[in-house]
Amino acid sequence: MSTATATHDDHHDHGPAKGLMRWVTTTNHKDIGTLYLLFALVMFFVGGAMAMVIRAELFQPGMQVVDPQFFNSMTTVHALVMIFGAVMPAFTGLANWLIPMMIGAPDMALPRMNNFSFWILPFAFTLLLSTFFMAGGGPAAGWTLYPPLSLQMGDGFPFMIFALHLAGISSIMGSINIVVTILNMRAPGMTLMKMPLFVWTWLITAYLLIATMPVLAGAITMLLTDKFAGTSFFSAAGGGDPVMYQHIFWFFGHPEVYILILPAFGIISAIVPTFARKPLFGYSSMVYATASIAFLSFIVWAHHMFTVGMPVVAELFFMYATMMIAVPTGVKVFNWVSTMWKGAMTFETPMLFAIGFIIMFTIGGFSGLMLAIAPADFQYHDTYFVVAHFHYVLVTGAVYSIMAAAYYWLPKWTGNMYDEKLGKMHFWISTISVNVLFFPQHFLGLAGMPRRIPDYAVQFTDWNVISSVGGFVFGVSQLMFAYIVFKCIRGGDKATDQVWEGAKGLEWTLPSPPPYHTFTEAPQVK
Amino acid sequence: MAHTGDHYYVPHGSHWPIVACVALTVGVVGAANWFNGNVSGQMILLVGLAMIAFMMFGWFGAVINESLKGLYNEQVDRSFRQGMMWFIFSEVMFFAAFFGALFYARILSVPWLLGADFSTHEYLWQGFGESWPTNGPGDVGGAFSTIGAWGIPAINTLLLLTSGVTITLSHWALKANDQSKTVLWLIATVVLGSVFLGFQAYEYVHAYRDLNLTLGSGIYGSTFFMLTGFHGLHVTLGTIMLIVITIRAAKGHFSPEKHFAFEGVAWYWHFVDVVWLGLFIFVYVL
């Protein structure tokens, strides 16, 4: 601030400011990381509540709980909230907390922009959720916002578009900050190929975000002008094409799904070696695999559109390109398993979640491979099989990795151990219920139940009942997670600096909890 | 806590980000209300824009003050540079979405409407026979004519290319520590940018009044105005940025070694220049 005096500027190593304004004006990466993580947790429950409404309506055939319009906005906003409000901010929060500590930097490269990128989010999601109270209700065309359906939304339409613009601005700024931090703020000796994989995966994720979020911004701007300014981008009468929206959207959307999973790969690559007490198998192949996945993510987008009516040559290209992704992903799974091979393994909660991730993410990967087969996709497309697929990779994938990360690093952040017994209970209840929830959806999809419908033919009843029961148990059991986190923040057994016997890396050389400012003098990395 | 020299630099807290969030939110709430046809919308939008301008003055002012006090070391300078480059990359991708729409329409969807490969033409749009430029089988917006490439657009290309030269000359002068030449060439750049914008505005009026070429002229009008419009917006922002660094250069803020703001603006200016070349070729010439 221009009014700050020189004495204030020269004041060294002060702690956090007092009161609420600490959190509003902070430039500290640990504060901002905490804000991101808490925001993500709140949004996780907001989106989760919407999922509960969906499962309640689908508990039996016929219309029970909500009207179809509201049901559709539940599926739409559940997705938008979970993707842009829960998973992405959670990963950004982890990046904020961990990347500076992992590379020996004092903070993020652009700390005030860091504050800006966080604080836009509460405003963006207030705007998004406020559409529920407007004429016409919340967005109900699915999170992909395909025109012409999405253009039929009521007064909330421009608010939703602008909410996404704001969330996009937040993501772009956050990503620029992360890339610059990694490229410019590493301690002496921390060469690129010595960086922890979490740092590597986030570097590549941030690149994907900077490259694709502006494309989403362009796509939804075209929606906005099509609705309000008379343009014809997505109207065939004016020479445009609704399918064009799908191409532009998925050019963003497919890299986006890797944005939601690459940081998870980094987390798992940190946790598995710790609890197997062995170095990560094939470090450099992990880096190259991540980069390959990122590259491929730009040339596979139309596999989301196999049934839309593309030339056959395009169907074939996108089918084969998609299948190639299985190769680098397979390298990763192979490396994690090889890391555990003959390791001295223990199964604390983070490791349980990590192993759960590896198994269930692989299930989601395989169903993805099935969907990649264009002729087979004609059958699966827009069925519950797709829903099962992406929930295996996003819930038991991305969300599980975030849970694993929270259990793994909470003792470092708070200085207290979490309640191990409750953590294990949380894992087992979640893992059983999440499979009861999503596995039957494979069967429903293969039997022909379409996604995004509030009612269904009676033949689908049994598996829907089972799925809903699993859903309710899974939903309620996440309250345990919130309880464990807050209990850990408030107290518990004191954690050592290294916390875990097998943990390696700069962040474990710091005290638990780390002081407000760390690495104001660069550590030497050998 | 400011560390200089060998130490890291971490800036202290700031209230500007939260001001920015409130300003942006007020702005978009205003715009959304305006789109929905509420009379209050425009007023709220204006308030939001004023708040954004206030925030930018305050935030950039604070950073400039800190920079002049010598708080920023080389590492901070590098962070700023890299941040600016990635920001420009994100802007490139924003334009890529609109260029993508243009190419998709010209290469794929319009030929499909005309009957290539798909039967859409036969079943839905029989009689549609107009290739690019087109406002579609529905003749959306009515008959229109297009703006030729070799009139004002060609002059505008020359103007922007020349402005790329003048800003480089200014940069050379700055590196040679010649302040008056630096300012002079910067002023020349601002003038060239402003004349470009003037021509562009004239062209828009001409298009709307005489050619019936509007934003509503089907896919041609949509891509034409969205691409040139967003480009014009970026030229406007670039010109404002140029004016700011002209004033700062005149005040002697820059040294031959340290002038990130100058270079950041110069990069941005070259970026709008390159986008224009793409526009000139793909929107006007071809």
Side-chain angles (χ1 to χ4, degrees):
Chain A
M1 279 167 279
S2 53
T3 51
T5 60
T7 46
H8 180 73
D9 282 343
D10 291 333
H11 184 59
H12 281 228
D13 299 316
H14 62 77
K18 295 276 176 290
L20 195 65
M21 285 313 279
R22 162 188 176 178
W23 300 101
V24 178
T25 63
T26 184
T27 46
N28 183 286
H29 73 101
K30 300 183 184 78
D31 282 355
I32 295 171
T34 306
L35 285 170
Y36 265 114
L37 288 168
L38 290 178
F39 178 78
L41 189 61
V42 171
M43 283 295 131
F44 181 59
F45 283 103
V46 171
M50 293 175 186
M52 294 298 103
V53 174
I54 294 167
R55 281 324 315 172
E57 180 56 55
L58 295 177
F59 191 62
Q60 51 175 303
M63 301 301 305
Q64 278 78 233
V65 188
V66 291
D67 64 86
Q69 165 76 16
F70 189 76
F71 181 91
N72 286 343
S73 45
M74 284 292 107
T75 58
T76 304
V77 184
H78 162 74
L80 290 172
V81 164
M82 287 303 201
I83 293 166
F84 295 103
V87 172
M88 285 168 68
F91 280 139
T92 316
L94 291 168
N96 261 291
W97 252 104
L98 296 171
I99 288 175
M101 298 204 298
M102 283 175 161
I103 62 173
D107 208 299
M108 299 293 280
L110 304 158
R112 287 185 193 138
M113 196 171 82
N114 201 16
N115 174 305
F116 190 18
S117 21
F118 168 74
W119 276 106
I120 293 184
L121 285 176
F123 289 90
F125 281 88
T126 309
L127 276 183
L128 179 65
L129 296 175
S130 71
T131 58
F132 277 109
F133 305 100
M134 294 175 190
W143 80 283
T144 53
L145 309 174
Y146 284 179
L149 185 60
S150 65
L151 299 177
Q152 294 169 15
M153 191 179 162
D155 280 358
F157 182 78
F159 290 89
M160 170 197 68
I161 297 289
F162 285 134
L164 291 177
H165 272 307
L166 292 186
I169 292 171
S170 161
S171 290
I172 291 168
M173 287 196 304
S175 304
I176 290 176
N177 214 341
I178 287 168
V179 173
V180 175
T181 303
I182 297 171
L183 294 183
N184 190 33
M185 304 288 280
R186 296 193 311 281
M190 177 61 80
T191 56
L192 286 175
M193 290 310 271
K194 277 186 192 162
M195 295 194 309
L197 262 174
F198 180 71
V199 182
W200 256 115
T201 51
W202 242 118
L203 177 65
I204 292 166
T205 303
Y207 168 76
L208 291 179
L209 274 164
I210 301 171
T212 60
M213 290 308 286
V215 176
L216 173 70
I220 60 178
T221 303
M222 290 180 225
L223 283 181
L224 197 66
T225 57
D226 264 18
K227 187 166 169 75
F228 293 111
T231 58
S232 306
F233 286 108
F234 310 131
S235 151
D241 187 352
V243 175
M244 175 161 83
Y245 174 84
Q246 302 184 17
H247 281 290
I248 302 173
F249 178 87
W250 285 112
F251 182 82
F252 145 81
H254 202 77
E256 168 69 19
V257 304
Y258 293 132
I259 287 160
L260 297 171
I261 203 65
L262 291 183
F265 292 165
I267 292 164
I268 302 307
S269 304
I271 292 174
V272 170
T274 297
F275 295 98
R277 290 168 183 75
K278 274 177 66 193
L280 184 69
F281 183 89
Y283 170 89
S284 49
S285 68
M286 285 298 222
V287 173
Y288 299 136
T290 311
S292 315
I293 293 173
F295 168 73
L296 289 171
S297 75
F298 283 108
I299 54 165
V300 297
W301 74 86
H303 66 215
H304 297 268
M305 305 158 52
F306 279 147
T307 59
V308 87
M310 281 187 298
V312 173
V313 63
E315 305 258 339
L316 289 175
F317 170 80
F318 286 108
M319 173 169 91
Y320 290 128
T322 305
M323 289 178 162
M324 274 198 316
I325 297 175
V327 177
T329 313
V331 168
K332 285 182 167 296
V333 174
F334 176 81
N335 284 351
W336 291 321
V337 174
S338 305
T339 306
M340 287 189 272
W341 178 254
K342 290 187 174 174
M345 297 221 285
T346 51
F347 299 93
E348 286 86 348
T349 313
M351 184 62 162
L352 289 176
F353 272 98
I355 294 172
F357 171 98
I358 296 170
I359 294 168
M360 290 184 282
F361 175 79
T362 305
I363 293 176
F366 280 136
S367 57
L369 212 48
M370 293 169 71
L371 288 164
I373 304 165
D377 180 74
F378 279 43
Q379 174 69 22
Y380 311 145
H381 197 92
D382 259 344
T383 68
Y384 255 84
F385 190 81
V386 179
V387 177
H389 155 69
F390 66 71
H391 281 95
Y392 263 89
V393 290
L394 287 179
V395 179
T396 57
V399 173
Y400 260 46
S401 80
I402 293 164
M403 304 260 176
Y407 285 114
Y408 186 56
W409 278 293
L410 258 179
K412 172 53 65 188
W413 299 333
T414 63
N416 306 320
M417 297 303 289
Y418 61 89
D419 189 326
E420 185 67 48
K421 211 172 135 194
L422 282 181
K424 283 192 170 128
M425 265 174 69
H426 172 224
F427 170 76
W428 284 111
I429 297 175
S430 297
T431 302
I432 293 165
S433 60
V434 84
N435 282 291
V436 175
L437 163 58
F438 292 122
F439 211 82
Q441 296 182 359
H442 290 113
F443 311 144
L444 286 169
L446 292 178
M449 177 169 160
R451 61 191 286 211
R452 291 169 173 159
I453 48 149
D455 188 9
Y456 49 81
V458 281
Q459 69 204 21
F460 302 128
T461 309
D462 290 349
W463 289 121
N464 267 301
V465 171
I466 293 169
S467 179
S468 284
V469 169
F472 298 140
V473 176
F474 182 73
V476 173
S477 62
Q478 299 322 304
L479 295 171
M480 276 181 77
F481 177 66
Y483 173 75
I484 297 166
V485 169
F486 284 105
K487 195 177 163 204
C488 178
I489 293 171
R490 290 174 62 95
D493 299 341
K494 292 293 152 229
T496 61
D497 290 358
Q498 201 190 0
V499 182
W500 311 106
E501 184 191 47
K504 301 247 162 47
L506 280 179
E507 79 266 34
W508 307 107
T509 64
L510 295 166
S512 303
Y516 195 56
H517 292 292
T518 41
F519 295 129
T520 46
E521 302 284 341
Q524 281 292 330
V525 181
K526 285 172 204 85
Chain B
M1 51 169 286
H3 294 288
T4 46
D6 296 337
H7 294 279
Y8 283 120
Y9 173 76
V10 179
H12 55 75
S14 167
H15 61 270
W16 290 115
I18 195 74
V19 175
C21 293
V22 175
L24 276 176
T25 307
V26 172
V28 297
V29 166
N33 272 300
W34 179 30
F35 288 150
N36 280 340
N38 294 342
V39 277
S40 56
Q42 269 166 305
M43 276 309 294
I44 304 173
L45 175 61
L46 282 177
V47 172
L49 290 176
M51 286 170 76
I52 290 171
F54 168 74
M55 174 276 293
M56 287 189 135
F57 263 100
W59 194 339
F60 283 110
V63 172
I64 289 166
N65 272 328
E66 286 174 358
S67 171
L68 291 178
K69 276 192 212 155
L71 292 179
Y72 296 164
N73 56 26
E74 271 178 41
Q75 191 174 38
V76 176
D77 196 59
R78 269 200 309 277
S79 289
F80 284 168
R81 279 157 198 282
Q82 293 183 4
M84 188 70 194
M85 286 184 182
W86 286 104
F87 169 67
I88 291 175
F89 174 59
S90 79
E91 290 270 50
V92 170
M93 293 309 292
F94 180 75
F95 277 98
F98 290 92
F99 274 107
L102 176 70
F103 296 150
Y104 185 88
R106 291 190 63 167
I107 298 167
L108 297 172
S109 68
V110 170
W112 286 342
L113 286 173
L114 286 166
D117 292 339
F118 289 106
S119 46
T120 331
H121 177 77
E122 203 170 317
Y123 294 120
L124 293 174
W125 304 111
Q126 265 187 16
F128 174 57
E130 176 185 76
S131 65
W132 202 260
T134 178
N135 55 357
D139 195 27
V140 174
F144 66 93
S145 351
T146 59
I147 291 167
W150 301 108
I152 288 176
I155 297 170
N156 268 346
T157 309
L158 274 180
L159 286 174
L160 274 194
L161 286 177
T162 315
S163 76
V165 175
T166 54
I167 197 160
T168 306
L169 289 173
S170 172
H171 195 194
W172 286 352
L174 176 57
K175 278 186 170 166
N177 211 4
D178 186 339
Q179 196 193 10
S180 56
K181 260 193 184 169
T182 309
V183 175
L184 211 65
W185 285 121
L186 270 178
I187 291 172
T189 315
V190 171
V191 170
L192 288 167
S194 308
V195 175
F196 172 92
L197 285 172
F199 275 141
Q200 199 71 342
Y202 169 80
E203 200 187 61
Y204 273 19
V205 173
H206 175 60
Y208 264 77
R209 269 209 200 134
D210 311 326
L211 305 177
N212 191 32
L213 171 60
T214 70
L215 197 54
S217 297
I219 189 68
Y220 184 85
S222 307
T223 49
F224 176 83
F225 280 104
M226 291 299 275
L227 275 165
T228 56
F230 271 117
H231 177 262
L233 190 69
H234 282 74
V235 176
T236 311
L237 284 176
T239 308
I240 294 169
M241 285 154 70
L242 281 169
I243 292 170
V244 172
I245 61 161
T246 309
I247 296 167
R248 291 192 62 197
K251 281 188 172 178
H253 282 191
F254 302 129
S255 72
E257 298 80 31
K258 256 189 113 169
H259 46 263
F260 158 71
F262 184 103
E263 285 185 74
V265 174
W267 296 337
Y268 194 81
W269 195 251
H270 289 308
F271 149 72
V272 294
D273 205 352
V274 170
V275 171
W276 175 261
L277 289 180
L279 280 177
F280 183 63
I281 294 167
F282 294 112
V283 175
Y284 291 99
V285 178
L286 294 179

